[in-house]
Amino acid sequence: MISYIKGEIAYNGGDRLIVENNGIGYEVIVPAFSAQQLCSQKGEVTVYTYMSVREDGITLFGFATREEKAVYEKLISVSGIGPKAAVSILGVMNPSQLITAIVTGDAAAIARAPGIGKKTAQRVILDLKDKIGNDDLTAAFEGDAEAAAAVTAAAGDDRSEAAEALIALGYTRSEALRAVAKVYNETMDVQKILSAALKELSRV
């Protein structure tokens, strides 16, 4: 098993990179976000890899961060999601966006990925919602406790209802979740959360 490769990017093919290490070029299939992040770095890069071994060959999939690799491994644990389908999903969503979609049940966001239908997106949510823990949230949001708390809140309580109301008013899911997380305290009901969040958003 190859866990990661350190080297220089010798070729950028968009959805695949060739990373040269000690005179050997490793072809690695990468999601769009990882490709952009890796190619923006100068000199030596570290590509975290997952090696898929099948009857028709061995393929390396690469990621810019350990967190993205961990999310990828969760995705391929879902029935019907193969290595390339998982890359397709991570090509349109970074780890924090995907985790937000899973926790909030946003199948439409996941279904934007090429080759991923709504039923498959719903299966991803059903299979992974209970497998997203606090460690995953913290890692995906890179220590942004407020954002992680907002996503956790969206799993289903008064905060969730307030966030959905804000989204219905035209705010993005990210804006709504962050505003709710910032103003919430345990004494608030849905109406108070909504009112305070609207005031917070009006200041932005």
Side-chain angles (χ1 to χ4, degrees):
M1 177 67 75
I2 301 174
S3 295
Y4 64 87
I5 301 168
K6 283 188 177 182
E8 294 190 0
I9 297 173
Y11 172 76
N12 174 12
D15 63 344
R16 64 190 63 222
L17 305 175
I18 294 178
V19 183
E20 185 176 345
N21 174 281
N22 290 326
I24 300 174
Y26 296 89
E27 184 176 81
V28 186
I29 295 175
V30 292
F33 285 108
S34 277
Q36 292 170 7
Q37 192 171 341
L38 290 165
C39 291
S40 68
Q41 301 176 34
K42 295 181 179 180
E44 185 178 79
V45 299
T46 299
V47 183
Y48 298 94
T49 57
Y50 175 86
M51 187 165 65
S52 173
V53 181
R54 298 196 170 193
E55 291 182 0
D56 56 353
I58 298 172
T59 306
L60 278 177
F61 295 88
F63 311 93
T65 66
R66 288 190 179 92
E67 291 74 28
E68 189 174 31
K69 179 183 174 182
V71 170
Y72 172 85
E73 289 176 333
K74 279 185 169 62
L75 279 172
I76 60 174
S77 73
V78 177
S79 175
I81 299 292
K84 290 185 178 179
V87 166
S88 178
I89 293 171
L90 287 171
V92 298
M93 312 178 79
N94 63 33
S96 62
Q97 290 169 335
L98 176 58
I99 286 177
T100 299
I102 291 169
V103 173
T104 59
D106 190 354
I110 299 173
R112 289 202 308 267
I116 304 298
K118 190 170 183 179
K119 287 186 178 179
T120 302
Q122 289 170 337
R123 190 183 311 125
V124 168
I125 292 168
L126 183 64
D127 284 8
L128 296 185
K129 190 168 186 177
D130 292 336
K131 297 178 182 178
I132 301 297
N134 289 335
D135 289 345
D136 298 305
L137 289 166
T138 301
F141 286 91
E142 297 180 348
D144 188 341
E146 182 181 295
V151 175
T152 303
D157 59 11
D158 287 347
R159 288 169 289 183
S160 176
E161 289 186 39
E164 291 302 325
L166 291 169
I167 292 165
L169 290 171
Y171 293 99
T172 67
R173 186 168 296 275
S174 176
E175 289 170 338
L177 292 172
R178 285 177 180 273
V180 167
K182 191 164 186 178
V183 303
Y184 175 76
N185 68 61
E186 294 179 358
T187 66
M188 290 176 151
D189 59 16
V190 175
Q191 191 58 45
K192 288 181 179 178
I193 298 168
L194 181 58
S195 177
L198 283 168
K199 288 180 182 177
E200 177 63 29
L201 286 164
S202 69
R203 297 192 187 103
V204 177

